[in-house]
């Protein structure tokens, strides 16, 4: 039997999934079997519920979810046996699934016998024309002449055969020699890659030891670099030396080497990530949006002045297509559980930048400043990113049952600086949108807005800060 789920509402409404498993996890966690959208299905917990197949059938269990699990509108408090057609709800206003049981075939139909051989048909007999009239025969050659002609013919044939054999021999010898040389070249290339990986691993360990007292984010980045190098070294050991494998491993090793060199230059260059974090973290908040259609979204925002002017991405405030309107908008600042209501000021027409305001008595903390030009921003510069990747799904302290907002620090390097885009080698995930990107002086040089999907969050894109500054100036707001 298979358990089938049809999404009745939520970000994946209309989609259908089926599983033949003894345990089916439901939630927003990336490893869940029935996975909800991590940014829009916010009523669903990371690991919300599970369905276990038992003797009596499929049994639904709530895994301590934040908003509760419902079956046909009734909240469950223990194991609940499901039947076909039951509607499973996640929270009072959250998405819902329709459960069904599918019977599956156990046997495959037998194959048919092979077809019989085709009947042979006989060929018609050849028809020969009548022999022509005999002509006068040419004079017979002497026996010596005939022997000489035959010897010449066979000698010519032998010479042709000898030439062909010599050519084939040369071809085989050349191919064998080329294979030997190519094999040696690839073996030497593989050895050089292994030596580079060993050197990179030793350097990574030395960096980890040297900077073990630095900020946790730097140590995590160095540990990730060390793990990646170790993986590449294992793959190099297991490699058969074929060209495609060596090319792929060389490319990955080059990328790992660039990232580690950047980390070494960033930390060794005197970048104080702890100071950057302490100076700016109080101005970074998690932003929560509920649109007029009921859809919800979360991201990151930061305050640029003490009057509560907040900067984030346009797509957070108006949706991916830019057509949504926020019905409820607010933030929770770093180190707090308090939700502050906010009002939309505007969104930039030509950049993924949005601005809103939070009214707090006594004012708000602010970042150290915005870079007002592209001057000084170059490939290889170290950067720090403060934001809320995966929202509240990452570990946080709690107070009174409510999570205390705590931003995550990620370090990386500028890998490309264009007129309207800054490319960074770091880490991003859903919820990072709107995060400020800081330079070594603690000033915002860009605002993160997305990433390259194929890079698994390791290559991210940001709007240069001078475009944000120009937009704030156009709104007559301080920069």
């Amino acid at each position: 039997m298979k358990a089938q789920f049809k999404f009745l509402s939520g970000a994946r409404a209309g989609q259908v999934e089926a599983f033949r498993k003894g345990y089916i996890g439901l939630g927003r966690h990336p490893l869940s079997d029935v996975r909800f959208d991590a940014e829009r299905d916010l009523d669903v917990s990371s690991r919300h519920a599970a369905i276990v197949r038992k003797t009596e059938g499929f049994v639904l269990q709530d895994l301590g979810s934040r908003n509760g699990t419902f079956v046909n509108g009734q909240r469950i408090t223990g194991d609940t046996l499901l039947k076909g057609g039951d509607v499973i709800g996640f929270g009072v206003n959250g998405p819902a699934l329709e459960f069904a049981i599918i019977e599956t075939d156990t046997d495959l139909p037998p194959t048919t016998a092979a077809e019989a051989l085709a009947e042979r048909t006989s060929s018609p007999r050849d028809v020969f024309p009548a022999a022509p009239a005999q002509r006068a025969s040419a004079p017979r050659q002497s026996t010596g002449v005939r022997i000489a002609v035959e010897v010449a013919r066979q000698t010519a044939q032998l010479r042709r055969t000898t030439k062909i054999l010599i050519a084939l021999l040369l071809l085989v010898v050349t191919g064998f020699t080329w294979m030997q040389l190519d094999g040696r070249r690839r073996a030497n290339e593989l050895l050089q890659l292994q030596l580079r990986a060993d050197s990179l691993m030793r350097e990574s360990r030395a960096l980890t030891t040297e900077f073990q007292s630095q900020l946790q984010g730097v140590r995590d980045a160095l540990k990730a670099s060390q793990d990646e190098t170790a993986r590449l070294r294992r793959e190099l050991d297991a490699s058969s030396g074929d060209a495609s494998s060596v090319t792929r491993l060389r490319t990955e090793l080059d990328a790992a080497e660039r990232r580690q060199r950047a980390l070494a230059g960033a930390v060794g260059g005197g970048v104080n990530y702890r100071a950057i974090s302490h100076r700016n973290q109080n101005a970074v908040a998690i932003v929560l949006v509920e649109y007029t259609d009921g859809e919800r979204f979360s991201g990151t925002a930061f305050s640029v002045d003490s009057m509560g002017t907040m900067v984030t991405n346009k797509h957070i405030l108006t949706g991916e297509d830019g057509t949504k309107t926020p019905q409820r908008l607010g933030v929770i600042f770093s180190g707090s559980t308090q939700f502050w209501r906010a009002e939309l000021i505007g969104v930039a027409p030509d950049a993924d930048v949005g601005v809103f305001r939070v009214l707090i008595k006594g004012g708000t903390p602010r970042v150290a400043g915005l870079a007002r030009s592209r001057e000084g921003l170059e490939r290889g510069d170290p950067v720090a990113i403060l934001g809320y990747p995966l929202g509240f799904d990452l570990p946080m302290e709690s107070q009174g049952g409510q999570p205390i907002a705590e931003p995550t620090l990620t370090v990386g390097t500028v890998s490309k600086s264009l007129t309207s885009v800054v490319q960074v080698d770091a880490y991003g995930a859903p919820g990072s949108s709107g995060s400020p990107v800081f330079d070594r002086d603690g000033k915002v040089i860009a605002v993160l807005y997305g990433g390259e999907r194929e890079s698994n969050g390791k290559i991210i894109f940001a709007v240069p800060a001078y475009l944000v500054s120009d937009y704030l100036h156009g709104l007559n707001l301080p920069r």
Side-chain angles (χ1 to χ4, degrees):
M1 291 189 296
K2 281 186 179 180
Q4 177 178 285
F5 304 90
K6 181 178 181 180
F7 289 82
L8 301 179
S9 58
R12 298 183 60 190
Q15 299 183 23
V16 178
E17 291 185 338
F19 301 89
R20 183 192 290 175
K21 298 180 64 176
Y23 180 93
I24 304 172
L26 303 90
R28 289 191 299 135
H29 194 277
L31 298 181
S32 296
D33 298 302
V34 181
R35 182 181 175 187
F36 292 85
D37 193 284
E39 294 185 350
R40 294 185 288 177
D41 294 329
L42 299 180
D43 285 315
V44 184
S45 296
S46 179
R47 301 184 187 275
H48 196 108
I51 294 178
V52 181
R53 183 175 177 181
K54 297 185 177 181
T55 305
E56 60 271 24
F58 291 95
V59 175
L60 175 64
Q61 300 174 345
D62 184 88
L63 301 181
S65 62
R66 183 171 62 252
N67 296 318
T69 305
F70 296 76
V71 175
N72 299 326
Q74 299 296 319
R75 184 166 184 167
I76 67 173
T77 58
D79 290 1
T80 302
L81 182 64
L82 295 175
K83 58 183 182 295
D86 283 347
V87 175
I88 305 172
F90 298 82
V92 177
N93 299 314
L97 303 173
E98 182 181 358
F99 173 79
I101 299 175
I102 302 176
E103 299 291 340
T104 59
D105 296 330
T106 58
D107 297 318
L108 296 174
T111 58
T112 60
E115 296 182 357
L117 295 175
E119 183 179 351
R120 297 177 179 173
T121 57
S122 58
S123 301
R125 293 182 178 179
D126 295 334
V127 178
F128 297 94
Q134 292 184 351
R135 298 178 180 177
S137 59
R140 289 180 60 85
Q141 295 176 331
S142 66
T143 302
V145 173
R146 291 201 304 273
I147 292 175
V149 170
E150 182 64 21
V151 169
R153 185 185 66 79
Q154 293 186 8
T155 303
Q157 184 177 357
L158 181 60
R159 284 199 298 268
R160 286 195 299 271
T161 303
T162 302
K163 290 178 180 179
I164 293 173
L165 291 176
I166 291 173
L168 289 176
L169 181 61
L170 290 174
L171 184 62
V172 170
V173 170
T174 302
F176 180 76
T177 304
W178 181 87
M179 289 176 61
Q180 289 288 99
L181 293 175
D182 185 64
R184 290 176 184 174
R185 179 187 61 79
R186 282 190 289 178
N188 184 63
E189 187 176 14
L190 186 61
L191 177 61
Q192 294 301 318
L193 289 176
Q194 290 172 338
L195 293 175
R196 283 178 58 192
D198 290 339
S199 175
L200 195 60
M201 186 180 297
R202 287 193 298 270
E203 183 178 350
S204 178
R205 289 171 180 167
L207 283 171
T208 303
T209 302
E210 181 179 355
F211 303 113
Q212 61 182 352
S213 61
Q214 283 284 355
L215 197 60
Q216 182 64 38
V218 181
R219 295 200 302 270
D220 291 345
L222 289 171
K223 179 63 168 58
S225 176
Q226 183 175 333
D227 291 343
E228 184 174 11
T229 304
R231 176 186 65 80
L232 289 173
R233 187 61 175 85
R234 289 193 299 270
E235 290 193 26
L236 285 168
D237 287 339
S239 173
S240 60
D242 61 280
S244 61
S245 177
V246 170
T247 300
R248 177 182 64 82
L249 291 172
R250 184 195 304 112
T251 302
E252 294 185 13
L253 188 59
D254 289 342
E257 198 170 37
R258 285 196 303 272
R259 282 193 290 272
Q260 185 161 303
R261 294 285 183 268
L263 280 172
V267 182
V271 180
N272 193 335
Y273 293 105
R274 182 173 305 193
I276 294 173
S277 177
H278 288 175
R279 187 178 182 185
N280 295 282
Q281 65 184 10
N282 291 336
V284 180
I286 184 169
V287 57
L288 304 172
V289 184
E290 182 178 348
Y291 305 115
T292 53
D293 60 4
E295 186 179 357
R296 297 177 180 179
F297 202 85
S298 69
T300 303
F302 59 96
S303 176
V304 295
D305 59 30
S306 58
M307 296 179 292
T309 303
M310 308 289 294
V311 172
T312 186
N313 289 143
K314 173 168 64 176
H315 75 260
I316 293 178
L317 301 177
T318 60
E320 296 288 347
D321 56 1
T323 61
K324 297 184 181 295
T325 302
Q327 177 176 276
R328 293 182 63 209
L329 172 64
V331 298
I332 303 176
F333 280 96
S334 170
S336 172
T337 62
Q338 175 67 47
F339 177 82
W340 298 96
R341 295 294 293 268
E343 58 182 17
L344 177 65
I345 294 180
V347 294
D350 302 321
D352 198 349
V353 176
V355 179
F356 62 94
R357 174 166 289 141
V358 179
L359 298 177
I360 301 178
K361 185 177 181 180
T364 59
R366 55 176 295 176
V367 294
L370 289 176
R372 301 188 181 185
S373 71
R374 296 179 60 234
E375 298 298 326
L377 183 61
E378 297 182 4
R379 184 185 295 111
D381 286 348
V383 295
I385 304 172
L386 278 171
Y388 293 87
L390 301 181
F392 286 111
D393 285 344
L394 290 182
M396 293 187 184
E397 301 290 347
S398 62
Q399 180 179 342
Q402 297 296 322
I404 300 175
E406 186 64 34
T408 296
L409 174 71
T410 305
V411 299
T413 56
V414 174
S415 55
K416 190 178 294 184
S417 177
L418 306 177
T419 302
S420 59
V421 178
V422 176
Q423 179 179 304
V424 178
D425 284 3
Y427 173 74
S432 297
S433 296
S435 298
V437 182
F438 300 95
D439 62 10
R440 65 172 66 242
D441 297 323
K443 289 189 177 182
V444 179
I445 59 168
V447 181
L448 191 155
Y449 69 84
E452 173 57 48
R453 185 180 301 274
E454 298 299 324
S455 71
N456 296 319
K458 293 182 180 179
I459 297 178
I460 55 181
F461 306 127
V463 181
Y466 76 90
L467 294 180
V468 178
S469 181
D470 291 345
Y471 180 61
L472 290 173
H473 179 72
L475 295 174
N476 293 321
L477 294 172
R479 296 179 288 168

